[in-house]
């Protein structure tokens, strides 16, 4: 015969036919039960003096007001240096001390750490019915998921010895239990013939019992749980038996299929003899949210570990607390060995200091973190990486942590270095060509002295073309353009200098001018150089009388450079687009998000180059 089938040999005394169940014992035992409540409890006399306050309430009082209250303290005296807060507390408590029962919600605490609360106030009456004070229950309602404190954190309910001459009566505690949102019951164990606890009978329940279980509180008194809730978990009945037998309180969570699979957190306390008291709270929604969060975390973890990208997180203080699987695969480090600041040992010694400085700068300022460094691969070789991180903030803007990535850019960086080297070599060879041509001109002058005036003019043009080339060529990371503080019209003037003829003012520059950053010099130089070359071949620069007017115009968030040729040979739109023209269009579009339009007028070509200001002046 199973314990569930065993017939009890003793049963608790039932309530009288027309009377309530036996009164539960003792104020001090009821006090043990309330000790476990996560609610914030305060009890005050008519002079606003605290007769009792539990640890949960005292801690919140200290967090909000910066003062730790104790039984016997006057709330008004504690807040004497805070007149506004004192007036607010007095206004609320005076209603309860005046005999009113009510609920109130509000937010308290300093900016950035404010919390929401729901507070219930009730008059406090002695056994004679005379009001001797009031009591308050408070619950934090800041988040959808409330973390319920364990008994070790909840603190006890302390009573001031004869404070203000008022004593808390057992009836007061009953009134208090009737008002809380937790379900509460007192029960007596039922044993089988072998002495094992196989059932229990409800002796007293509060009104919240109905909301928590769906069973009417008036229908359960004097009845065993096996009748009230058929299928109630036998493991919980045995647990209550252990509380009775050992005299040791117990805290646990349980899922009850018989109550639509609701989940509860329960706290059981022995009351002496066969009786025990239980505070319990429906946490079904909290468990559902926790499960959903756990499933979401598991799903996110799977995604994070499956991507071919190093991902890491850090706390708000910079402590690295997570690296995904790809990090350990790349570095060969054992899981957990690179948390904190230990990750730095994987960086190239020459890069550690500047990487730490950049990381500390981001932690202090909250700016996104971005830096290139060399990191040791599991093969032992160092590879170039791009490290990035962005702060994760709450609704108030406070940084909660950092989310970062490491991207392998070794091949890209090697290719860029090769291109830079090739560009420098090409530039060197082109400059050598200019030097060879200049040497040939000088040699010719020595053979034909009468050509010196022509040779001098040609040498000036060659030198100007060399300067234009130095503007237009790509520059390395450690180089600057030939001219600092360059502007668009200044660059244009330098590039068009070779096309000036002595005695002729062939180039006119006017209009708005803007600074130009190094990265924008090359594509714009190529465009101007191509226009000038074509003008020398077919347009205004092909004849001495030809003129070119160039003017700048700010147009909203764009800068437009206008090119207008006059006085040259008649021009016609070409049937096909040459390589130089295609190169210029492609370079302007891809590197500067620019646009170039051409108008082929018989009297001369007009060109308009439009570039976003931020791409031209480097404010992006």
């Amino acid at each position: 015969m199973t314990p569930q089938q065993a017939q009890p040999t003793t049963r608790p005394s039932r309530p009288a036919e027309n009377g309530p169940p036996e009164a539960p014992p003792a104020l001090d035992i009821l006090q043990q039960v309330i000790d476990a409540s996560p609610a914030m409890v305060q009890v005050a006399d008519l002079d606003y003096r605290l007769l009792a306050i539990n640890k949960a309430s005292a801690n919140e009082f200290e967090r909000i007001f910066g003062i730790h209250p104790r039984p016997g303290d006057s709330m008004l005296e504690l807040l004497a240096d805070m007149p506004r807060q004192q007036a607010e507390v007095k206004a609320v408590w005076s209603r309860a001390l005046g005999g009113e029962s009510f609920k109130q919600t509000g937010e308290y605490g300093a900016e950035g750490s404010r919390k929401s609360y729901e507070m219930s106030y009730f008059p406090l009456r002695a056994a004679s019915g005379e009001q001797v004070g009031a009591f308050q229950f408070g619950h934090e309602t800041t988040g959808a998921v409330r973390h319920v404190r364990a008994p070790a954190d909840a603190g006890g309910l302390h009573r001031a010895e004869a404070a203000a001459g008022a004593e808390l009566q057992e009836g007061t505690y009953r009134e208090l239990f009737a008002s809380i949102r937790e379900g509460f019951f007192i029960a007596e164990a039922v044993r089988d013939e072998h002495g094992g606890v196989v059932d229990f009978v409800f002796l007293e329940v509060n009104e919240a019992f109905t909301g928590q279980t769906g069973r009417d509180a008036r229908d359960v008194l004097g009845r065993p749980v096996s009748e009230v809730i058929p299928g109630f978990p036998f493991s919980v009945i045995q647990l209550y038996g252990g509380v009775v037998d050992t005299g040791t309180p117990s805290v646990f969570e349980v899922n009850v299929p018989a109550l639509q699979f609701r989940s509860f957190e329960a706290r059981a306390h022995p009351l002496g003899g066969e009786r025990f008291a239980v505070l319990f709270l429906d946490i079904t929604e909290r468990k559902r949210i926790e499960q959903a969060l756990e499933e979401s975390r598991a799903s996110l973890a799977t995604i994070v570990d499956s991507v071919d990208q190093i991902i890491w997180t850090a706390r708000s203080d910079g402590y690295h607390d997570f690296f995904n699987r790809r990090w350990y695969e790349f570095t060969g480090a054992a899981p957990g060995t690179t948390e904190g600041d230990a990750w730095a040992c994987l960086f190239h010694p020459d890069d550690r200091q500047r990487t730490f400085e950049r990381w500390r700068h981001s932690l202090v300022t909250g700016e996104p973190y971005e830096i290139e460094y060399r990191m040791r691969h599991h093969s032992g070789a160092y590879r170039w990486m791009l490290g990035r991180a962005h702060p994760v903030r709450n609704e108030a803007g406070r940084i909660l942590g950092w989310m970062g990535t490491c991207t392998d850019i070794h091949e890209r960086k090697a290719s860029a270095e090769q291109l830079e080297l090739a560009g420098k070599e090409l530039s060197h060879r082109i400059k050598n060509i200019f030097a060879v041509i200049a040497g040939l001109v000088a040699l010719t002058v020595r053979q034909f002295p009468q050509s010196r005036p022509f040779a001098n003019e040609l040498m000036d043009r060659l030198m100007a073309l060399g300067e234009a080339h130095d503007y237009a060529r790509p520059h390395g990371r450690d180089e600057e353009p030939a001219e600092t503080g360059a502007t668009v019209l200044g660059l244009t003037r330098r590039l068009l200098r070779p096309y000036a003829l002595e005695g002729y003012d062939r180039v006119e520059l006017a209009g708005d001018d803007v600074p130009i950053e190094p990265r924008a010099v090359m594509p714009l130089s190529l465009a101007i150089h191509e226009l000038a070359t074509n003008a020398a071949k077919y347009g205004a620069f092909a004849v001495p009388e030809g003129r070119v007017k160039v003017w700048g115009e700010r147009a909203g968030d764009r800068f437009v450079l206008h090119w207008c040729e006059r006085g040259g040979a008649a021009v016609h739109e070409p049937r096909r687009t040459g390589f130089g023209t295609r190169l210029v269009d492609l370079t302007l579009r891809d590197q500067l998000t620019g646009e170039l339009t051409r108008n082929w007028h018989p009297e001369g070509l007009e060109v308009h180059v439009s570039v976003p200001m931020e791409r031209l002046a480097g404010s992006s």
Side-chain angles (χ1 to χ4, degrees):
M1 183 169 59
T2 65
Q4 291 95 325
Q5 296 169 326
Q7 296 299 316
T9 56
T10 62
R11 296 186 67 85
S13 56
R14 297 248 182 189
E17 197 68 53
N18 296 316
E22 294 180 7
L27 181 64
D28 58 337
I29 293 179
L30 286 175
Q31 179 181 325
Q32 294 178 42
V33 179
I34 200 171
D35 284 351
S37 174
M40 293 168 282
V41 181
Q42 294 182 30
V43 185
D45 65 14
L46 296 175
D47 294 322
Y48 302 90
R49 191 172 302 277
L50 292 170
L51 302 178
I53 184 169
N54 69 348
K55 184 178 178 181
S57 183
N59 287 343
E60 286 303 289
F61 193 99
E62 183 175 19
R63 189 190 71 80
I64 296 171
F65 300 114
I67 302 172
H68 190 82
R70 292 178 174 81
D73 288 341
S74 167
M75 288 186 284
L76 300 186
E77 292 176 2
L78 291 174
L79 302 176
D81 294 333
M82 292 176 272
R84 182 178 63 82
Q85 291 87 339
Q86 182 193 61
E88 291 176 354
V89 169
K90 184 176 181 180
V92 174
W93 276 90
S94 62
R95 293 173 59 187
L97 293 173
E100 183 181 353
S101 297
F102 61 95
K103 287 185 179 181
Q104 180 167 303
T105 60
E107 287 190 353
Y108 299 93
E111 289 297 330
S113 61
R114 296 176 68 82
K115 295 182 180 180
S116 300
Y117 302 89
E118 178 182 278
M119 294 163 290
S120 300
Y121 294 84
F122 305 92
L124 178 68
R125 290 182 169 79
S128 63
E130 177 186 2
Q131 183 171 351
V132 295
F135 59 88
Q136 174 211 74
F137 279 97
H139 294 280
E140 184 188 342
T141 59
T142 305
V145 180
R146 298 187 180 94
H147 298 283
V148 183
R149 296 184 179 89
D153 297 324
L157 183 68
H158 308 286
R159 282 191 292 134
E161 294 298 330
E167 294 187 18
L168 298 179
Q169 304 296 324
E170 185 172 330
T172 300
Y173 276 86
R174 294 185 182 282
E175 184 178 354
L176 183 149
F177 275 108
S179 306
I180 62 176
R181 70 185 183 116
E182 288 94 339
F184 170 70
F185 66 85
I186 294 175
E188 187 167 298
V190 177
R191 299 180 184 272
D192 63 12
E193 59 187 7
H194 304 292
V197 175
V198 295
D199 209 341
F200 62 85
V201 172
F202 294 100
L203 299 182
E204 185 169 349
V205 299
N206 69 345
E207 286 298 323
F209 183 96
T210 300
Q212 296 288 326
T213 65
R215 302 296 193 271
D216 195 311
R218 292 166 295 185
D219 294 338
V220 305
L221 292 178
R223 297 176 60 192
V225 70
S226 57
E227 295 179 7
V228 175
I229 309 175
F232 186 82
F234 187 67
S235 60
V236 178
I237 295 175
Q238 290 182 312
L239 189 149
Y240 290 152
V243 170
V244 170
D245 291 339
T246 64
T248 303
S250 179
V251 179
F252 60 94
E253 292 182 2
V254 61
N255 182 269
V256 184
L259 294 177
Q260 293 80 46
F261 291 92
R262 295 187 193 177
S263 295
F264 297 88
E265 181 186 67
R267 297 169 171 81
H269 288 259
L271 298 182
E274 297 292 292
R275 295 181 177 179
F276 61 94
V278 177
L279 268 173
F280 64 97
L281 182 66
D282 187 340
I283 58 171
T284 305
E285 182 62 14
R286 191 188 85 185
K287 299 297 289 185
R288 185 193 67 77
I289 295 175
E290 289 175 351
Q291 182 179 356
L293 288 174
E294 186 59 35
E295 291 174 353
S296 177
R297 291 190 192 100
S299 177
L300 179 61
T302 300
I303 295 173
V304 166
D305 277 337
S306 65
V307 298
D308 189 24
Q309 171 78 22
I310 293 174
I311 299 175
W312 53 270
T313 63
R315 302 185 318 211
S316 58
D317 61 0
Y319 183 96
H320 287 61
D321 55 3
F322 169 78
F323 296 92
N324 71 338
R325 177 177 52 82
R326 178 62 180 146
W327 164 271
Y328 296 109
E329 290 176 351
F330 182 92
T331 63
T337 60
T338 55
E339 294 181 356
D341 291 334
W343 51 271
C345 68
L346 298 172
F347 286 22
H348 193 285
D350 294 343
D351 299 336
R352 292 175 188 171
Q353 182 64 29
R354 64 183 181 86
T355 303
F356 261 123
E357 289 176 356
R358 186 65 186 86
W359 179 230
R360 284 193 290 265
H361 175 78
S362 293
L363 293 177
V364 172
T365 63
E367 296 176 3
Y369 167 77
E370 182 170 332
I371 191 171
E372 294 180 2
Y373 47 75
R374 287 161 290 181
M375 190 165 71
R376 191 172 69 238
H377 187 253
H378 64 77
S379 64
Y382 284 96
R383 296 183 64 84
W384 279 101
M385 308 290 288
L386 173 62
R388 286 175 171 156
H390 288 267
V392 179
R393 302 177 184 270
N394 63 8
E395 294 180 356
R398 184 170 65 88
I399 294 177
L400 304 177
W402 292 79
M403 176 71 73
T405 61
C406 301
T407 305
D408 190 333
I409 59 170
H410 197 77
E411 280 75 18
R412 188 180 77 188
K413 199 170 184 68
S415 298
E417 290 175 351
Q418 290 294 324
L419 287 173
E420 183 177 332
L421 182 61
K424 289 181 178 179
E425 178 64 19
L426 178 61
S427 175
H428 177 69
R429 290 174 183 265
I430 293 175
K431 293 178 75 172
N432 281 344
I433 292 174
F434 284 130
V436 170
I437 295 174
L440 291 174
V441 171
L443 181 61
T444 303
V445 169
R446 285 195 295 271
Q447 293 177 342
F448 303 97
Q450 67 274 17
S451 65
R452 182 173 296 280
F454 168 77
N456 289 339
E457 184 176 345
L458 179 59
M459 290 290 288
D460 288 341
R461 293 190 181 183
L462 288 174
M463 291 179 62
L465 283 173
E467 291 180 2
H469 160 72
D470 206 40
Y471 257 109
R473 73 178 177 88
H475 290 77
R477 297 182 304 275
D478 56 346
E479 296 181 287
E480 291 293 332
E483 178 181 312
T484 58
T487 65
V488 172
L489 295 186
L491 173 62
T492 304
R493 182 178 296 107
R494 291 286 294 271
L495 294 174
L496 297 183
R497 186 182 301 170
Y499 302 97
L501 290 176
E502 185 175 354
Y504 291 94
D505 185 13
R506 305 216 303 169
V507 178
E508 179 184 353
L509 298 177
D512 300 327
D513 199 4
V514 294
I516 182 171
E517 69 148 352
R519 286 180 296 181
V521 167
M522 187 194 74
L524 192 59
S525 295
L526 289 177
I528 296 172
H529 184 268
E530 177 68 15
L531 290 172
T533 300
N534 290 335
K537 292 179 180 178
Y538 318 111
F541 289 154
V543 296
E545 297 80 10
R547 295 169 55 84
V548 173
K549 180 178 180 181
V550 181
W551 72 95
E553 178 188 6
R554 292 175 180 264
D557 60 352
R558 301 182 75 87
F559 181 82
V560 183
L561 188 68
H562 303 278
W563 172 284
C564 180
E565 299 183 25
R566 292 292 184 269
V571 296
H572 304 281
E573 183 174 358
R575 295 181 179 179
R576 63 184 183 88
T577 303
F579 172 77
T581 299
R582 293 197 303 271
L583 177 62
V584 167
D585 290 348
L586 183 65
T587 304
L588 281 174
R589 186 187 67 227
D590 290 351
Q591 297 190 26
L592 295 182
T593 321
E595 300 172 355
L596 187 147
T597 57
R598 299 173 178 84
N599 296 315
W600 303 90
H601 300 298
E603 63 271 19
L605 174 67
E606 290 186 6
V607 179
H608 309 281
V609 180
S610 175
V611 180
M613 196 79 71
E614 61 177 12
R615 303 301 297 271
L616 193 65
S619 60
S620 57

